[in-house]
């Protein structure tokens, strides 16, 4: 992988892993929280055999730019980064793949830019309308999503260095990983999270989001807008889902058909939330089969 520093028209600079022949069909991979392009370390070499692979460290992560302020991490700005990255690399249209927060950006980009996002792949990232509905309709999903309110607490990342980072790794991250995380990988996370402003920038993605997460037993009125029409995802879409995900429950997959007419689903029964590297063989097999069928 070739890690390049690319300045975007949006004013940020991103470190971007690039692999494969630029003459091949482009595919852009968007990681989620609290990771980097390394989310895709098992997919990049596989896809690079016949694709032009682009995997950025998104704004706020690793050594990419970390603009100040919560407003800098709203979805429209991050989607603008994605389009700016494609422009910088002279990529007119592409297959878009997203995991976790990268998947949230991918859903939005597919809806807003259907002429550029030709195909969509989502891994354990909820559709925005399905997710918000579930936070009102399902107490189980509401309970599982309380970490969002924790991450929005601005006291969380104050002085988070050294032992505090170690504690976050152990309690807020590693315990959600099926199969654990090795020492070498932990060292990479510690290095990336230790970059100046990184923890605040990463958590600002949660703080900038508009999702309302009621408390588990809170008696709240269900917004009428949740039943209003929502723009469909018109592209061929593959959803790969680790069914052991404790934060995003299976209802996130079950609720998709009304919003995604051209939908394929692959369920990885023994996979957790971080399936790109927890279950790389299964993910690569699903990607390969679907991409070949959609040519």
């Amino acid at each position: 992988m070739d890690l390049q520093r690319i300045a975007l028209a949006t004013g940020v600079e991103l470190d971007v892993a690039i692999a494969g022949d630029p003459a091949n069909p482009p595919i852009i991979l968007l990681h989620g929280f609290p990771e980097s392009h390394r989310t895709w370390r098992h997919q990049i070499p596989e896809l690079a055999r016949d694709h032009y692979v682009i995997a950025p460290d998104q704004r706020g992560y690793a050594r990419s730019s970390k603009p100040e302020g919560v407003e800098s991490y709203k979805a429209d700005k991050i989607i603008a980064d994605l389009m700016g990255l494609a422009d910088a690399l002279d990529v007119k249209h592409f297959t878009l793949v997203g995991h976790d927060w990268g998947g949230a950006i991918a859903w939005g980009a597919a809806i807003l830019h259907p002429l550029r996002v030709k195909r969509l792949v989502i891994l354990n990232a909820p559709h925005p309308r399905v997710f918000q509905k579930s936070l009102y309709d399902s107490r189980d999903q509401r309970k599982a999503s309380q970490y969002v309110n924790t991450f929005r607490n601005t006291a969380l990342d104050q002085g988070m260095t050294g032992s505090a980072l170690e504690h976050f790794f152990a309690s807020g991250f590693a315990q959600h990983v099926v199969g654990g995380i090795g020492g070498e990988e932990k060292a990479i996370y510690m290095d990336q999270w230790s970059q100046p402003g990184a923890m605040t920038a990463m958590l600002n993605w949660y703080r900038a989001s508009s999702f309302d997460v009621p408390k588990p037993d809170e008696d709240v009125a269900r917004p009428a807008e949740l039943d209003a029409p929502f723009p469909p995802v018109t592209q061929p879409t593959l959803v790969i889902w680790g069914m052991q995900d404790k934060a995003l429950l299976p209802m996130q997959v079950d609720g998709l058909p009304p919003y995604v007419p051209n939908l394929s689903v692959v369920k990885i029964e023994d996979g957790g939330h971080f399936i790109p590297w927890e279950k790389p063989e299964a993910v690569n097999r699903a990607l390969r089969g679907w991409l070949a069928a959609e040519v």
Side-chain angles (χ1 to χ4, degrees):
M1 284 182 288
D2 176 22
L3 196 63
Q4 299 182 18
R5 187 78 168 183
I6 299 179
L8 306 184
T10 56
V12 302
E13 295 182 357
L14 304 183
D15 283 347
V16 186
I18 298 178
D21 187 341
N24 285 335
I27 187 166
I28 300 180
L29 313 177
L30 300 180
H31 69 84
F33 179 91
E35 302 201 273
S36 68
H37 72 276
R38 283 187 56 77
T39 295
W40 310 109
R41 57 191 177 274
H42 300 292
Q43 285 73 50
I44 291 173
E46 172 66 22
L47 292 171
R49 294 194 292 116
D50 50 13
H51 284 79
Y52 181 42
V53 184
I54 303 160
D57 291 340
Q58 299 201 76
R59 68 162 65 193
Y61 289 86
R63 288 169 170 79
S64 289
S65 293
K66 301 170 182 63
E68 293 186 1
V70 170
E71 293 291 317
S72 296
Y73 297 90
K74 285 189 171 294
D76 61 330
K77 292 182 172 59
I78 301 167
I79 292 173
D81 286 347
L82 167 64
M83 296 304 159
L85 176 60
D87 291 342
L89 294 172
D90 197 28
V91 170
K92 304 304 182 186
H93 48 77
F94 49 89
T95 296
L96 182 58
V97 182
H99 172 253
D100 186 77
W101 264 114
I105 297 304
W107 283 120
I111 293 169
L112 292 172
H113 300 279
L115 297 182
R116 300 198 69 178
V117 179
K118 306 301 288 186
R119 297 179 295 187
L120 180 66
V121 182
I122 298 291
L123 298 90
N124 285 73
H127 182 280
R129 176 54 61 84
V130 175
F131 185 48
Q132 187 64 87
K133 287 176 73 171
S134 71
L135 292 172
Y136 280 90
D137 297 344
S138 168
R139 291 190 182 273
D140 287 341
Q141 183 58 69
R142 192 186 299 183
K143 182 177 180 181
S145 298
Q146 289 306 303
Y147 69 92
V148 174
N149 290 329
T150 299
F151 288 169
R152 285 172 170 169
N153 183 349
T154 55
L156 178 64
D157 45 304
Q158 298 304 309
M160 189 183 284
T161 59
S163 60
L165 279 181
E166 293 272 354
H167 177 73
F168 181 81
F169 181 89
S171 63
F173 178 46
Q175 66 175 350
H176 299 289
V177 175
V178 173
I181 303 176
E184 179 181 355
E185 289 301 320
K186 177 181 176 180
I188 292 170
Y189 284 111
M190 290 295 104
D191 172 69
Q192 292 177 345
W193 297 354
S194 296
Q195 298 307 307
M199 286 304 302
T200 295
M202 291 191 296
L203 291 167
N204 277 346
W205 283 54
Y206 288 93
R207 296 161 185 163
S209 71
S210 60
F211 290 116
D212 180 27
V213 185
K215 294 181 174 62
D217 297 321
E218 187 178 358
D219 187 13
V220 291
R222 189 180 190 276
E225 67 189 40
L226 293 181
D227 296 315
F230 195 87
V233 174
T234 57
Q235 297 90 335
T237 300
L238 170 65
V239 170
I240 307 173
W241 205 271
M243 298 302 288
Q244 300 304 311
D245 193 329
K246 304 304 182 186
L248 298 169
L249 306 182
M251 67 187 69
Q252 303 303 329
V253 182
D254 298 338
L256 286 173
Y259 305 99
V260 191
N262 192 348
L263 174 66
S264 301
V265 176
V266 174
K267 297 179 180 180
I268 300 177
E269 297 295 339
D270 59 347
H273 180 71
F274 295 96
I275 49 171
W277 46 268
E278 287 179 353
K279 299 293 177 182
E281 295 85 2
V283 168
N284 287 355
R285 186 162 55 248
L287 276 170
R288 273 287 175 206
W290 184 80
L291 289 169
E294 289 294 327
V295 170

